[in-house]
């Protein structure tokens, strides 16, 4: 089994040894903010992820699972929905929709995050000034963009929903009730509901955690301290990391 990891500026590289020991080959696919990629997430082509999946198949890997967190989870779900080369998704703190693009700094752009065959994917959008996010984050004493996305979703049509029923393999989604960046727990509910309403033949599972932040990863990044839930419940959040690691490894070896 191989994973096309849609990297979200995490410290995954330092954990590649443990992944290899578990019998999983991993390919990190940087899609913004690293050498040779854009600095923004605007009209990024899904084909970039398709190419990574094709490479892994040609390298002898039968199953390719896209794994991502946050925007990376959105990208993983969207890419897998448009390519049979991807054989499943593990989405951490995901969105159930395609979202507006992210420009320089804290700015939301009236454009899609992703394209397919040169066309923008339909997306959710809200015209929200960046200063409001800064002000709300200061007041909340944690980074928060959640209200931006909730406003975008209230204005969005069904066409912005990712057609996840087209995914060619198992789907695992993991969210946090206390997610302050966007409503990932709600997204997990929407994703599973959509799969169960369609003739989706592959296994699918939802994990939603009470003691977790948006940075929901199966290893300690040190970022939880920047969120209220991480500061208030550090021990419980560490237990979530342990539980999530076990769940993901069991799922990938299913």
């Amino acid at each position: 089994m191989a994973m096309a990891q849609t990297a979200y500026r995490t410290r995954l590289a330092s954990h590649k040894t443990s992944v290899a020991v578990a019998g999983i080959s991993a390919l990190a696919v940087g899609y913004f903010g690293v050498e040779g990629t854009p600095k923004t997430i605007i009209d990024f082509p899904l084909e970039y992820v398709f190419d990574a999946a094709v490479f892994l198949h040609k390298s002898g890997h039968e199953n390719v699972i896209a794994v991502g967190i946050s925007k990376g989870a959105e990208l993983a779900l969207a890419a897998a929905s448009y390519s049979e080369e991807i054989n499943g998704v593990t989405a951490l703190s995901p969105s159930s929709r395609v979202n507006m693009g992210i420009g320089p700094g804290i700015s939301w752009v009236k454009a899609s995050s992703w394209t397919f065959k040169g066309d923008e994917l339909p997306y959710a959008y809200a015209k929200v000034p960046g200063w409001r996010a800064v002000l709300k984050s200061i007041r909340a004493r944690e980074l928060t963009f959640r209200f931006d996305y909730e406003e975008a979703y209230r204005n969005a049509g069904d066409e912005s929903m990712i057609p996840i029923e087209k995914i060619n393999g198992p789907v695992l989604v993991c969210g946090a009730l206390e997610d302050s960046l966007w409503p990932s727990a709600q997204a997990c509910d929407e994703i599973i509901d959509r799969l169960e309403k369609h003739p989706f033949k592959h296994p699918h599972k939802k994990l939603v955690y009470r003691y977790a932040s948006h940075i929901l990863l199966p290893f300690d990044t040190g970022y939880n301290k920047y969120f209220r839930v991480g500061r208030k419940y550090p021990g419980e959040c560490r237990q979530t990391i342990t539980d999530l690691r076990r769940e993901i490894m069991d799922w990938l070896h299913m």
Side-chain angles (χ1 to χ4, degrees):
M1 179 183 293
M3 297 188 298
Q5 162 67 29
T6 53
Y8 182 67
R9 296 190 176 199
T10 69
R11 301 175 185 177
L12 183 60
S14 65
H15 298 267
K16 62 185 179 181
T17 301
S18 62
V19 173
V21 168
I24 300 172
S25 300
L27 173 65
V29 181
Y31 62 95
F32 81 102
V34 294
E35 185 177 354
T37 65
K39 293 182 179 180
T40 60
I41 308 176
I42 303 170
D43 290 341
F44 186 86
L46 297 182
E47 287 83 356
Y48 189 75
V49 181
F50 301 169
D51 291 345
V54 170
F55 169 79
L56 288 169
H57 282 301
K58 288 183 177 179
S59 300
H61 299 288
E62 182 178 354
N63 293 314
V64 175
I65 310 300
V67 181
I69 179 172
S70 191
K71 286 299 286 187
E74 180 186 327
L75 174 55
L77 289 165
S81 298
Y82 287 88
S83 174
E84 292 191 353
E85 297 291 342
I86 300 173
N87 311 115
V89 176
T90 295
L92 308 169
S93 300
S95 170
S96 57
R97 296 177 182 269
V98 172
N99 288 291
M100 52 201 167
I102 301 177
I106 302 176
S107 63
W108 289 266
V109 180
K110 195 172 184 180
S112 185
S113 292
W114 325 113
T115 65
F116 175 57
K117 294 184 178 180
D119 294 327
E120 281 192 331
L121 298 188
Y123 60 98
Y125 173 74
K127 187 176 182 180
V128 181
W131 63 263
R132 198 168 81 172
V134 173
L135 183 59
K136 282 187 174 288
S137 295
I138 292 172
R139 288 175 175 172
R141 298 181 62 230
E142 65 178 346
L143 191 62
T144 177
F145 305 143
R146 181 171 178 140
F147 67 96
D148 296 356
Y149 289 99
E150 290 175 333
E151 183 171 331
Y153 299 161
R154 285 193 293 270
N155 300 328
D158 290 342
E159 66 275 8
S160 67
M161 298 293 291
I162 301 171
I164 50 178
E165 67 276 5
K166 297 179 181 179
I167 294 175
N168 184 34
V171 175
L172 173 65
V173 291
C174 311
L177 287 172
E178 300 292 328
D179 194 330
S180 65
L181 295 194
W182 65 18
S184 63
Q186 176 184 328
C188 291
D189 291 341
E190 292 171 345
I191 288 167
I192 296 302
D193 287 348
R194 185 178 180 101
L195 292 179
E196 292 182 347
K197 289 176 181 177
H198 287 80
F200 189 71
K201 63 182 180 180
H202 304 288
H204 46 283
K205 184 175 182 178
K206 171 182 66 177
L207 299 171
V208 173
Y209 291 96
R210 164 68 177 84
Y211 300 109
S213 71
H214 183 77
I215 310 301
L216 183 58
L217 287 165
F219 49 83
D220 188 5
T221 63
Y223 295 143
N224 270 339
K225 63 187 177 183
Y226 297 112
F227 299 92
R228 283 187 297 177
V229 66
R231 295 193 297 270
K232 189 173 182 179
Y233 302 105
E236 291 86 345
C237 287
R238 285 193 295 271
Q239 185 59 50
T240 292
I241 291 171
T242 300
D243 293 344
L244 181 63
R245 182 187 303 117
R246 183 186 66 253
E247 290 278 3
I248 289 176
M249 287 303 178
D250 289 347
W251 181 260
L252 292 176
H253 285 105
M254 183 177 57

